[in-house]
Amino acid sequence: MANNTLESTQKLSFDQFKQEVLKDYKTAVISRECSLLGRREVLTGKAKFGIFGGGKEVPQLAMAKAFQKGDWRSGYYRDQTFMMAIGEFNPRHFFASLYAHADIEADSFSAGRQMNGHFCVHTVNNDGTWKNLTEQYNVSSDISPTGGQMPRLLGLAEASKKFKNISALHELSHLSKQGNEIAWGTIGNASTSEGLFFETINAAGVLQVPMVISIWDDGYGISVPAEYQTTKQSISEILKGFQRDEKNKGYEIFVVQGWNYSQLIDVYQRAAKIAREEHVPVLIHVTELTQPQGHSTSGSHERYKSEERMLWEKEFDCLVKMREWIENFELTDENGDVLRFCEDIKELESLEEEAKTEVREAKKDALNALLEPILKERTELVKILEKIAPLSEHKVSLDKVKRELMQIEEPIRKNILDTARRAVMYLRDENEEVKTSLQKWVINYKAQQKKKYNTHLYSELPNNATNIEAIAPVYSEESKLVDARVVLRDNFDAILNKYNEVLIFGEDSGAIGDVNQGLEGLQQKYGIERVYDTGIREATIIGQGIGLAMRGLRPIAEIQYLDYIFYATQVLTDDLATLRYRTFGKQRAPLIVRTRGHRLEGIWHSGSQMGSLINLLQGMYILVPRNMTKAAGFYNTLLKSDEPAVLIENLNGYRLKERMPVNLGEFTTPIGVVETIKEGQDLTIVSYGSTLKLVEEASKDLSSVGIDVEIIDAQSLLPFDIKHDVVKSLKKTNRLAVVDEDIPGGASAYLFEHIVNKQNGYLYLDSKPITITAKAHRPAYGTDGDYFSKPSVNDIFEGIYKMMHEAYPAKFEPLY
Ligand SMILES: Cc1ncc(C[n+]2csc(CCOP(=O)(O)OP(=O)(O)O)c2C)c(N)n1
Ligand SMILES: [Mg+2]
């Protein structure tokens, strides 16, 4: 019966059908052979670590058949067969990534930056323009944290809905064919235990987006069996409540055995039709999969699988089953002739032999390609060492390190550079003639490696966010003083009007126009597709934004309060912040995260934890505007660029008065540039956000006792002061205080290190520099809680007065 289904859905002539099946089988055999040889490469020390797709080949063939150009995948490390079946991966590439070949031509997924099994297809050209995403298979770059692919998947699927429903987006025909694309997810059975999985499943059901999520179920998560992972040991069983029915929208859920090729093809075709045509999410629980070699190269599954299970895995290995099916397949045509896939088993055997040879050859080629440049580099160094050695007093040592380097059969760059740097150490006190060529070689070699390993954290294109020029807000005579949230709102209005791709969403962002009315009336004006409410689910709000941004839209995702960003921090730090780096600049997601914080009251409402974000979000911008005009300018800057950022508005600033600029949507606040907001002679105070208001107040008290401070607004924490303006101020004042609402050792330590160390501020200091910060604990509630937890005007005054007293005891009497 299944065979008939397959035939009818495929509508192919028998011969075409046969060719298709054999091609699939060969792809699966190639994939399996890669897994087997890959493991050997790791166990013999040629590669560091391996995680492969063995035991999951057959369902991936079926998924690949339903996957169309323009579609997207967000999956995990088991998908090598799918990648091969869509033509984006081959054995040569398999080994290049296993060997961590640090060249984007050899390992197009990450230029050797990611472990093997982390797939990707480039979405941007070298000049930063989008590729035609409708004409290629799109694979969003994988990350290792289990379940981490899920939030992004939601956004990839939601983008189709936006491209369909927002008519102004239809002209972006290189990004989408009016939303005809499916976002395909894959996840392991055990990883469905993660909260991100459930959050995404619920959100996609609510949003009704074209998403097909496959669960590759092999009964284990490394060594831990399903009984410890999943209630009722079945994810499809417990998700039954999501099944759509006549009354309610929901999911279509399929369960299919992972070794049943023909049923799999049928299920995937049906799933694709539902998702593509009806924009309904589909879940496919693919059961009875195996792991013929265990989880990864770091262990062996004999340790935790029973003998019985091991026997079952051998029997139900999807490749074995597919082969059986091919061997036994028979179809009687209308003439009564019996049609078969293979008349003779030898046909299959020779196909398998061919596949194996192809993999072995690819392995050799990949290794040679890896080694070739490295061996050349070694020769270069060796030649220099041989030239220098006879002239050196350290000939014996130089000869020894050279010999050791030459003895390494398959050297890596670490071996080469280590040898060279040791040689520099030996030659440190010898004359220039001897050592210059080597020193130069080391400097040059290091620079070359930097390009390989330390680039693309931020954009290297001309529109890098820090290159966007400042445009000052312009005021006319009619410019009124208004509540600052109105400046923000009118600027968002201008943005939504100017950029059709901008979407703004979050908790309470739609109907009421956010909790502080910064989006007031904008849903009414621009429609529910562009300014909208989401559920309370920070991680997937960010995931939504990542996926939308990856598909060429310009989402502004709102996290209602800074303190709640931690629900989404895993997604931000592991996925968004690493995206450009881990793809060697070949994918991007210019998501703007809008949030509000600073100087609130209470343990979970303080909005101050900037240090933690700075540590986790390298690869993003962290902007802390002191007022709403500055904030609006940052949004305008970010939209001219294409990089991700978190922007923290001042919660207590929305009702303060600011003048309304006339060039809304146009003026920009430069990123990475500080601003001096008060000039002074005696001391430089660096601060940011709403604490600046307290600093300004304290400066008046300080002025009244004869201390004239200069106040600098950091404005941007990541990056901070790229022009090194603070040190220029220190040259004048010779004293530094960093005032910060974060804990001791938080953002203040970061600013301090930048100023004193990176900017060499220590050279100009006449007093010990200080930080004035909050207490180490979370701030207590209420005005007194704030006063005794965070730096107050008194604390700032006294801290700085003390510094001046220590410098001039006669002039400044001790306060206490
Ligand atoms: C957040 C996180 N926790 C733990 C791990 C370590 N880890 C890697 S794979 C894995 C098991 C995943 O099992 P499953 O989802 O069933 O996928 P399978 O490998 O079986 O295909 C674990 C625990 C991880 N990568 N990420
Ligand atoms: Mg599993």
Side-chain angles (χ1 to χ4, degrees):
M1 215 176 82
N3 295 341
N4 294 338
T5 328
L6 175 65
E7 198 197 23
S8 63
T9 51
Q10 291 298 295
K11 293 195 180 59
L12 300 171
S13 75
F14 183 77
D15 202 45
Q16 282 172 314
F17 177 32
K18 173 180 164 178
Q19 294 312 321
E20 182 91 13
V21 169
L22 293 180
K23 187 171 152 239
D24 272 357
Y25 180 65
K26 188 171 176 189
T27 303
V29 175
I30 287 177
S31 175
R32 176 65 61 87
E33 200 54 27
C34 282
S35 304
L36 296 170
L37 268 193
R39 186 175 175 89
R40 255 202 1 233
E41 288 303 274
V42 176
L43 300 186
T44 55
K46 286 202 163 62
K48 266 248 141 131
F49 172 78
I51 190 147
F52 309 117
K56 318 259 182 325
E57 292 90 347
V58 175
Q60 295 181 21
L61 299 170
M63 179 169 136
K65 276 192 206 308
F67 194 90
Q68 292 184 0
K69 290 211 167 134
D71 283 358
W72 283 78
R73 165 196 167 278
S74 179
Y76 80 119
Y77 50 78
R78 295 286 181 220
D79 293 349
Q80 73 188 42
T81 313
F82 166 79
M83 293 299 294
M84 288 177 178
I86 61 167
E88 293 294 336
F89 196 38
N90 59 35
R92 167 88 178 249
H93 189 170
F94 173 93
F95 288 102
S97 63
L98 189 67
Y99 299 141
H101 192 155
D103 183 337
I104 195 70
E105 300 297 326
D107 170 22
S108 68
F109 301 151
S110 75
R113 290 177 178 189
Q114 288 231 63
M115 282 174 172
N116 85 305
H118 291 64
F119 309 106
C120 157
V121 168
H122 301 180
T123 56
V124 287
N125 295 308
N126 289 342
D127 65 0
T129 53
W130 289 105
K131 288 180 177 290
N132 187 329
L133 303 180
T134 66
E135 285 176 3
Q136 62 173 31
Y137 296 115
N138 299 296
V139 171
S140 65
S141 161
D142 294 354
I143 61 175
S144 297
T146 50
Q149 68 273 40
M150 292 298 296
R152 178 194 335 132
L153 174 65
L154 179 67
L156 292 172
E158 194 196 14
S160 290
K161 192 173 167 177
K162 298 296 168 193
F163 281 116
K164 183 177 177 187
N165 294 348
I166 302 173
S167 52
L169 298 178
H170 292 175
E171 66 191 44
L172 301 173
S173 56
H174 61 302
L175 300 177
S176 169
K177 289 190 175 151
Q178 302 189 10
N180 185 43
E181 304 81 16
I182 294 175
W184 301 80
T186 66
I187 187 167
N189 58 297
S191 301
T192 64
S193 312
E194 295 280 8
L196 292 181
F197 174 80
F198 285 96
E199 192 176 311
T200 305
I201 291 292
N202 177 52
V206 170
L207 293 176
Q208 289 291 293
V209 286
M211 171 178 127
V212 179
I213 171 86
S214 298
I215 294 141
W216 306 146
D217 190 347
D218 57 14
Y220 288 83
I222 310 185
S223 68
V224 182
E227 62 180 304
Y228 298 118
Q229 301 280 2
T230 309
T231 308
K232 300 185 181 179
Q233 304 187 37
S234 166
I235 192 67
S236 51
E237 191 60 33
I238 59 171
L239 291 180
K240 272 185 174 161
F242 283 84
Q243 173 67 47
R244 64 176 173 164
D245 55 32
E246 296 79 37
K247 280 207 209 110
N248 291 302
K249 291 180 176 172
Y251 274 76
E252 198 55 53
I253 299 177
F254 293 95
V255 183
V256 55
Q257 289 150 326
W259 46 264
N260 194 330
Y261 176 73
S262 61
Q263 260 184 30
L264 282 160
I265 288 177
D266 179 44
V267 163
Y268 273 87
Q269 294 297 327
R270 281 159 56 196
K273 194 166 157 51
I274 294 167
R276 207 179 298 281
E277 292 175 8
E278 300 176 50
H279 271 203
V280 166
V282 180
L283 185 134
I284 307 177
H285 183 189
V286 183
T287 61
E288 300 189 24
L289 288 168
T290 67
Q291 243 170 53
Q293 298 190 100
H295 175 74
S296 72
T297 52
S298 310
S300 84
H301 57 158
E302 289 83 357
R303 275 195 301 153
Y304 50 81
K305 283 180 189 161
S306 66
E307 218 168 287
E308 194 191 352
R309 169 81 193 182
M310 296 292 280
L311 281 174
W312 178 85
E313 289 208 7
K314 274 208 163 57
E315 192 186 339
F316 282 80
D317 182 324
C318 60
L319 211 53
V320 173
K321 285 274 174 204
M322 186 176 179
R323 192 184 204 271
E324 279 171 17
W325 179 78
I326 293 173
E327 278 180 58
N328 298 330
F329 186 91
E330 282 184 4
L331 190 72
T332 313
D333 69 8
E334 57 267 26
N335 307 325
D337 293 334
V338 177
L339 305 172
R340 294 192 179 83
F341 287 144
C342 68
E343 299 298 334
D344 183 349
I345 192 74
K346 288 214 174 79
E347 274 179 60
L348 272 189
E349 284 169 357
S350 75
L351 178 152
E352 286 161 352
E353 212 32 66
E354 231 176 81
K356 286 178 188 171
T357 311
E358 214 175 301
V359 174
R360 275 197 301 273
E361 291 301 315
K363 178 174 86 76
K364 261 191 254 154
D365 292 348
L367 189 60
N368 287 340
L370 173 85
L371 284 174
E372 195 188 83
I374 299 178
L375 293 175
K376 269 196 199 137
E377 291 157 22
R378 178 170 74 175
T379 308
E380 256 174 44
L381 174 66
V382 165
K383 275 191 189 148
I384 294 176
L385 292 177
E386 282 172 349
K387 209 162 138 198
I388 292 173
L391 312 171
S392 166
E393 292 162 24
H394 298 281
K395 182 172 185 312
V396 177
S397 303
L398 291 178
D399 284 346
K400 180 168 177 284
V401 288
K402 188 198 81 179
R403 217 172 31 249
E404 283 168 358
L405 179 62
M406 287 307 291
Q407 275 162 3
I408 303 172
E409 213 172 294
E410 287 164 4
I412 58 173
R413 293 193 164 93
K414 179 183 172 200
N415 304 133
I416 298 173
L417 193 53
D418 177 55
T419 304
R421 291 165 89 173
R422 268 170 204 288
V424 169
M425 179 181 84
Y426 295 138
L427 298 175
R428 68 197 177 280
D429 51 5
E430 298 204 22
N431 67 40
E432 302 297 308
E433 213 183 313
V434 182
K435 62 188 181 188
T436 309
S437 60
L438 180 64
Q439 286 167 329
K440 276 194 183 152
W441 188 89
V442 168
I443 291 166
N444 184 32
Y445 195 70
K446 272 188 179 174
Q448 281 172 29
Q449 303 321 308
K450 203 172 166 183
K451 283 188 202 148
K452 288 195 166 67
Y453 293 101
N454 312 117
T455 48
H456 298 291
L457 181 57
Y458 290 91
S459 169
E460 300 189 357
L461 296 163
N463 73 335
N464 170 298
T466 59
N467 289 343
I468 306 297
E469 295 279 335
I471 300 174
V474 176
Y475 300 96
S476 74
E477 292 198 347
E478 286 96 67
S479 287
K480 286 199 194 100
L481 267 183
V482 294
D483 279 357
R485 61 114 195 156
V486 179
V487 175
L488 206 53
R489 182 198 65 189
D490 289 2
N491 192 69
F492 280 131
D493 188 352
I495 284 173
L496 285 159
N497 190 38
K498 184 172 170 183
Y499 302 99
N500 290 330
E501 305 93 308
V502 168
L503 311 166
I504 311 181
F505 53 90
E507 296 156 17
D508 302 291
S509 306
I512 66 163
D514 92 41
V515 285
N516 294 91
Q517 299 275 279
L519 298 166
E520 185 195 18
L522 298 182
Q523 184 180 71
Q524 290 76 357
K525 186 165 176 186
Y526 293 95
I528 201 163
E529 292 288 345
R530 294 195 62 201
V531 182
Y532 52 104
D533 289 317
T534 66
I536 307 179
R537 44 175 183 76
E538 286 75 11
T540 49
I541 288 174
I542 295 304
Q544 227 169 313
I546 295 173
L548 291 166
M550 273 187 151
R551 291 193 59 181
L553 298 171
R554 293 307 308 258
I556 300 179
E558 192 181 310
I559 296 294
Q560 197 161 69
Y561 298 102
L562 183 69
D563 297 75
Y564 305 126
I565 205 168
F566 289 105
Y567 276 83
T569 307
Q570 186 275 331
V571 188
L572 289 168
T573 183
D574 288 332
D575 197 358
L576 184 57
T578 64
L579 180 67
R580 204 177 278 262
Y581 177 79
R582 75 179 193 264
T583 63
F584 204 72
K586 302 300 181 191
Q587 288 195 348
R588 64 159 172 253
L591 168 63
I592 300 172
V593 181
R594 174 188 187 214
T595 186
R596 49 186 75 82
H598 298 312
R599 296 217 67 97
L600 278 173
E601 293 168 2
I603 294 175
W604 293 281
H605 293 87
S606 67
S608 309
Q609 53 280 7
M610 245 47 82
S612 57
L613 296 181
I614 291 165
N615 286 337
L616 290 171
L617 302 186
Q618 304 282 330
M620 292 180 68
Y621 296 103
I622 299 181
L623 309 172
V624 283
R626 69 176 178 277
N627 59 39
M628 299 309 151
T629 309
K630 289 276 173 190
F634 274 138
Y635 289 116
N636 297 339
T637 305
L638 288 166
L639 286 166
K640 289 188 171 190
S641 172
D642 65 7
E643 296 187 87
V646 177
L647 197 150
I648 298 135
E649 296 166 11
N650 283 324
L651 223 159
N652 54 15
Y654 292 115
R655 309 264 157 209
L656 302 176
K657 300 290 179 202
E658 290 182 36
R659 275 181 85 197
M660 178 69 81
V662 291
N663 55 344
L664 290 164
E666 301 298 329
F667 64 90
T668 55
T669 311
I671 291 176
V673 179
V674 302
E675 188 171 304
T676 303
I677 55 176
K678 176 188 172 301
E679 298 210 351
Q681 298 300 319
D682 298 331
L683 186 142
T684 302
I685 302 180
V686 178
S687 192
Y688 61 87
S690 40
T691 307
L692 277 169
K693 288 241 176 307
L694 309 188
V695 172
E696 282 180 294
E697 227 177 297
S699 77
K700 290 178 196 146
D701 292 337
L702 287 162
S703 172
S704 72
V705 299
I707 300 170
D708 179 23
V709 298
E710 180 142 310
I711 305 174
I712 296 180
D713 178 5
Q715 301 200 93
S716 156
L717 295 179
L718 257 187
F720 168 66
D721 193 10
I722 50 182
K723 293 187 189 161
H724 289 196
D725 286 335
V726 174
V727 77
K728 290 172 201 152
S729 168
L730 293 187
K731 284 180 190 168
K732 175 173 71 173
T733 65
N734 308 114
R735 287 187 178 80
L736 170 69
V738 177
V739 181
D740 180 24
E741 59 175 321
D742 195 3
I743 55 158
S748 60
Y750 164 84
L751 295 172
F752 203 77
E753 197 267 338
H754 258 269
I755 300 164
V756 175
N757 201 355
K758 288 209 175 69
Q759 298 189 15
N760 285 330
Y762 76 97
L763 289 172
Y764 309 100
L765 294 177
D766 290 343
S767 289
K768 185 179 97 171
I770 61 165
T771 60
I772 300 172
T773 69
K775 302 288 187 292
H777 54 77
R778 303 269 184 117
Y781 176 62
T783 307
D784 276 352
D786 176 75
Y787 183 78
F788 289 105
S789 303
K790 290 204 179 181
S792 63
V793 174
N794 305 123
D795 293 333
I796 298 166
F797 174 86
E798 290 179 2
I800 285 166
Y801 186 91
K802 186 162 175 263
M803 198 172 172
M804 295 305 284
H805 155 72
E806 280 164 11
Y808 305 103
K811 193 167 167 197
F812 301 105
E813 294 283 331
L815 290 174
Y816 299 100

